[in-house]
Each structure stands twice: as structure tokens, then as C-alpha cells.
């Protein structure tokens, strides 16, 4: 028994006429009759009672019809689900995200995505860049939103720039550095600094995706 035999059987059971079913299936009537006869031989039962006009299901045929309809629905659902997976409209996505993304950008992005594709399931794993990239490398995450990986890590991943940073230094009025026309990084490193994120500007981040 194969899926084609079941589809042929299902069409005959629906139409109650082999000639009409053969026309629907666009096959020759002898081909359909042979398929039904082979199916009956495989099962060791008679599926249809031949009538002067058409056919009628036997009790065995009624039992097979119930299962054939279930298989038909399942195969149709499987095809639709696979098509949806290919288009990205269904499935489970595991995202690794750093603290800034968790607070500011990811919630709104996920809300828009789930609204557009309600069958998608999303699981978010929080962490810092090193642990997130390690999990990505091991296949535990589908992608990561975090700061730009190091040049060594970038060779392992595909990256896409999502946002960029504008960095600035603020100091008190009269600070020694204000007396200089140009300030180098080595000049800045001579003093202690407090790192602070500003909501007015975007956070540096990339999406890192495993290479296939």
C-alpha cells in the first residue's frame, strides 16, 4: 500500500464511480481499476461492491476510508507546514541577546514578528557576548544579537550590521583634558571613566549567524 493507492481509493470512495474518479485523476479507467484490485489483494478484502451504476463501499472499505481521509489530511497539513517553514512563517527560533537588546530593541522587534507570523515560536536566551557566541558555535542558538564579534570570531560567522554606536566623552568643566585641542585614546586612558548608555542613541550590535 502506498500513498498513490490511497489517493486513488479515496477518490473512488468519494465519487462512487470508477469512470468518474479516473477522469478526475486524469488516468485511464483500467489503470485505476488495476490499482484498486491490487489494493484489495494486498489487504485480502473486498473494498467496493460493484453495482450496475457505480460502486459502494463494503464494511472493509468504510474502515479504510476513515484512515485514508486521516492520512490525506495529515499529508496536506505536512505540505503546508513545510511550505510555511521554507518561507519562515512557522517554526521555533532560539535567539541569544545581550542586555541592551533585551531592554530596548528586542521586545518591539519580537512583537512585530509574532504579530505578522503568529505560528512562530520564539525563545530568547540572555547572556553576554562571549557565552552567546559559544552557544551559537555549538548550535544551541539560531542567531545572536550583540556587539560586533572580534575579527577572529567574524571568520566563523556571517554577520549583519543592525545598528551603530556614536561614542562620546563627557567631563567636568575645567578638566585637564579640556585644555587640549586634540585628545588621543592614550590621553583618555590616563583617567578613570564611567561607561553609560544613552537612550537617545542606538546600541552597536550585529546579528551573528552560523555558516552552513
Amino acid at each position: 500500500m502506498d500513498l498513490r493507492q490511497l489517493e486513488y481509493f479515496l477518490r473512488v470512495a468519494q465519487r462512487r464511480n470508477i469512470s468518474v474518479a479516473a477522469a478526475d485523476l486524469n488516468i485511464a479507467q483500467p489503470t485505476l481499476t488495476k490499482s484498486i484490485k491490487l489494493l484489495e489483494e494486498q489487504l485480502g478484502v473486498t473494498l467496493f461492491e460493484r453495482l450496475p451504476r457505480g460502486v459502494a463501499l463494503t464494511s472493509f472499505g468504510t474502515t479504510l476510508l476513515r484512515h485514508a481521509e486521516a492520512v490525506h489530511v495529515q499529508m496536506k497539513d505536512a505540505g503546508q507546514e513545510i511550505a510555511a517553514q521554507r518561507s519562515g512563517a512557522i517554526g521555533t527560533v532560539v535567539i541569544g541577546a545581550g542586555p541592551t537588546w533585551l531592554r530596548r530593541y528586542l521586545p518591539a522587534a519580537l512583537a512585530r514578528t509574532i504579530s505578522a507570523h503568529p505560528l512562530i515560536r520564539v525563545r530568547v536566551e540572555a547572556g553576554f557576548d562571549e557565552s552567546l557566541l559559544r552557544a551559537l558555535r555549538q548550535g544551541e542558538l539560531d542567531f545572536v544579537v550583540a556587539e560586533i564579534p572580534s575579527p577572529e570570531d567574524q571568520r566563523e560567522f556571517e554577520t549583519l550590521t543592525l545598528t551603530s554606536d556614536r561614542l562620546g566623552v563627557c567631563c567636568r568643566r575645567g578638566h585637564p583634558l579640556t585644555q587640549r585641542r586634540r585628545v588621543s585614546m592614550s590621553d583618555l586612558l590616563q583617567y578613570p571613566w564611567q561607561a553609560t548608555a544613552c537612550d537617545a542613541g542606538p546600541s552597536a550590535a550585529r546579528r551573528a549567524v552560523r555558516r552552513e
Side-chain angles (χ1 to χ4, degrees):
M1 186 189 306
D2 58 34
L3 290 176
R4 177 172 292 182
Q5 284 179 306
L6 284 179
E7 288 295 330
Y8 286 179
F9 163 79
L10 186 58
R11 187 57 59 92
V12 174
Q14 291 170 339
R15 304 296 281 177
R16 298 291 200 273
N17 188 293
I18 292 180
S19 298
V20 175
D24 287 349
L25 295 166
N26 196 28
I27 61 174
Q29 180 177 335
T31 300
L32 181 56
T33 301
K34 182 178 179 180
S35 176
I36 296 299
K37 183 175 178 57
L38 179 60
L39 184 58
E40 290 178 327
E41 290 175 354
Q42 290 172 340
L43 295 173
V45 298
T46 299
L47 299 173
F48 293 101
E49 179 185 355
R50 275 63 178 178
L51 303 176
R53 292 178 178 271
V55 295
L57 285 166
T58 65
S59 60
F60 300 112
T62 300
T63 298
L64 181 60
L65 176 62
R66 186 173 69 254
H67 292 282
E69 288 174 334
V71 171
H72 177 77
V73 171
Q74 289 177 340
M75 291 304 299
K76 182 179 179 181
D77 289 346
Q80 292 174 341
E81 185 171 339
I82 289 172
Q85 284 180 313
R86 291 179 60 187
S87 67
I90 190 173
T92 300
V93 179
V94 186
I95 304 171
T100 300
W101 278 92
L102 288 172
R103 292 194 312 269
R104 297 164 58 188
Y105 299 109
L106 202 55
L110 291 180
R112 291 195 299 269
T113 300
I114 295 173
S115 176
H117 306 287
L119 295 180
I120 289 181
R121 296 188 180 95
V122 180
R123 191 171 84 243
V124 179
E125 298 288 342
F128 294 97
D129 297 351
E130 184 177 350
S131 63
L132 293 175
L133 292 178
R134 187 186 310 116
L136 180 64
R137 190 179 293 110
Q138 295 172 351
E140 298 172 2
L141 301 174
D142 293 311
F143 65 89
V144 166
V145 282
E147 292 186 357
I148 298 173
S150 66
E152 293 78 13
D153 287 331
Q154 287 188 55
R155 288 196 293 266
E156 296 185 64
F157 306 112
E158 294 180 9
T159 60
L160 175 66
T161 302
L162 300 179
T163 63
S164 60
D165 266 341
R166 295 188 62 183
L167 301 179
V169 176
C170 299
C171 62
R172 62 175 172 79
R173 187 182 299 274
H175 191 281
L177 289 178
T178 62
Q179 307 303 315
R180 304 190 183 193
R181 298 187 61 183
R182 293 188 176 182
V183 178
S184 65
M185 184 61 70
S186 60
D187 295 332
L188 292 173
L189 293 176
Q190 295 178 27
Y191 301 91
W193 299 97
Q194 172 80 36
T196 304
C198 177
D199 288 338
S203 174
R206 285 196 172 189
R207 181 182 69 177
V209 183
R210 298 191 72 191
R211 292 187 183 276
E212 296 296 334

